[in-house]
Amino acid sequence: MPSVVSVRAFRHAARETVSGLPREFWWLWISTLVNRLGAFVATFMALYLTLDRGYSASYAGLVAALHGLGGVVSSLGGGVMADRLGRRPTMLVAQTATALSVAALGFVHHPLAIAGVAFLVGMASNASRPAVQAMMADIVRPEDRVRAFSLNYWAINLGFAISSMGAGFIAEFSYLAGFLIEAGMTLACAIVVFLKLPESRPEQPGAGGKGNKGGKGSKGSKGDEGGKGAPEEAVGLGTVLRDRRFMGVVGLSFLVAFIFQQGAIGLPVAMGAAGFTPADYGMAIAVNGVLIVVLQIPVTRFIQHRDPGRLLVVSSVLAGYGFGLTAFAGSVGVFALTVCVWTLAEIVNAPTQTGLVVRLSPVHGRGRYQGMYTLSWAVASLVAPLMSGVVIDRYGAEWLWGLCAVVGTAAGAGYAVLMRRLPAEEPATGPAAARTGEPATERATDLAGEGPAAAPADVATA
């Protein structure tokens, strides 16, 4: 009987987790899963360059840095494209370009050509992220967004966990096969978008000559005072940069991203310097993927209607001190325990942070705002390897873990200050939202606790 009850409880929880989300979201979720199932190149790129091609570790690091630099360049560009051209065209262009550049990477052999194509792969693969996140915000009701972002994050990690296991077997057979399979899977992702996903970008009333009149009840740019009481202006990158509260969140996101990057950068270096083998590191870091796949959905059920400010404070501090505890690790088991701590922080932080970006974004500027948020992670992926290496070489790994604890504390304090008087969430605007009707807006207002929801202002893209 207890087993029957537990099975029923699990089924009920699963139904509640996946119910109520629009059909378009699930096609977007499938495209994400397909994309990550084919993510082989990131896993074996360093081995391909050093073992198969015979290049040095320094050259492999340079290629990885250029790949990251491409992501930095395309973060803002992808956000602008998502707002100007639309979410669907941006994803189609980015995913098709990713498929072509990944396939090309398997055929080029000259070191300059490899470095150049790797830069293009980084640009193309990162350009679709702001569009994906903006589309998700467009089509999902405010009260469901944290759950939706969690499910998407779960798909990313599930796909990557499976592809990481398959990458080793594929690499033993043929590295070229890995490049071509990833290109094919990315192209399949673009086909899903083309066939199943309609455009979700909100129509801009100002385009016909009536726009830019804020009007009664219109929402302003969501900056220092929560965006109330002023007409919303045309949204360009300057709008994003002048939004002081949002740029503060971007800065804090960079700090948190710097901490989480240590799982792939500082942790393997420190474990290697302490005499542990690559297999030991693999066992410890595998806990991260397993916990995300197992806990992401139940933890989301617990946090989805809780105050995002408190969640971000707690997750930032937990991440910092989770890595800080690594200074006391002396065995693989203890390393794995520290991974458990900061993985829990990651599970809470990722969907909450993405949902907060949506909440602070004007409806017609979601692409640009998501692009700026994506930029914070891309820059962290560039800065973290350089800074971590310097700290470990000059002062020792213990100082790096202490720095993580300090950075996590600072980020938590920053969130505590910036999260006061959050604005109400904008209602969903995509075609799926039109089918759900008015109650979604009313529920969003009740959750936000800020009175009647204001109608979106007329906005012209810059």
Side-chain angles (χ1 to χ4, degrees), residues 351-374:
T352 307
Q353 181 89 302
T354 310
L356 175 65
V357 173
V358 175
R359 192 165 180 172
L360 295 177
S361 306
V363 171
H364 297 90
R366 282 174 178 160
R368 288 173 170 85
Y369 273 67
Q370 291 288 352
M372 185 64 72
Y373 167 63
T374 302

Side-chain angles (χ1 to χ4, degrees), residues 236-437:
L237 287 178
T239 310
V240 184
L241 294 172
R242 290 191 298 271
D243 191 336
R244 289 181 291 178
R245 172 149 65 177
F246 178 77
M247 291 306 298
V249 169
V250 170
L252 296 175
S253 171
F254 167 78
L255 295 181
V256 173
F258 171 84
I259 297 172
F260 285 129
Q261 289 287 333
Q262 302 312 319
I265 297 167
L267 185 60
V269 173
M271 289 185 69
F276 293 94
T277 66
D280 293 330
Y281 167 71
M283 291 177 61
I285 200 62
V287 175
N288 174 257
V290 171
L291 285 181
I292 289 176
V293 171
V294 172
L295 295 181
Q296 184 72 63
I297 292 176
V299 169
T300 298
R301 284 172 50 80
F302 176 75
I303 69 171
Q304 63 180 334
H305 297 311
R306 298 183 184 273
D307 177 39
R310 292 181 181 177
L311 293 174
L312 290 170
V313 170
V314 171
S315 62
S316 300
V317 174
L318 195 62
Y321 282 89
F323 278 99
L325 291 172
T326 310
F328 304 99
S331 66
V332 176
V334 178
F335 277 111
L337 286 175
T338 65
V339 172
C340 289
V341 175
W342 57 259
T343 296
L344 182 59
E346 183 181 358
I347 290 171
V348 173
N349 182 274
T352 307
Q353 181 89 302
T354 310
L356 175 65
V357 173
V358 175
R359 192 165 180 172
L360 295 177
S361 306
V363 171
H364 297 90
R366 282 174 178 160
R368 288 173 170 85
Y369 273 67
Q370 291 288 352
M372 185 64 72
Y373 167 63
T374 302
L375 179 67
S376 68
W377 282 82
V379 173
S381 70
L382 277 180
V383 174
L386 300 175
M387 190 170 180
S388 302
V390 170
V391 172
I392 291 176
D393 287 341
R394 292 190 177 184
Y395 307 105
E398 292 80 7
W399 281 86
L400 176 63
W401 308 132
L403 176 63
C404 286
V406 172
V407 171
T409 303
Y415 280 120
V417 173
L418 287 177
M419 294 302 97
R420 299 172 182 172
R421 298 176 61 193
L422 278 177
E425 292 185 283
E426 296 280 8
T429 54
R435 294 195 299 268
T436 61

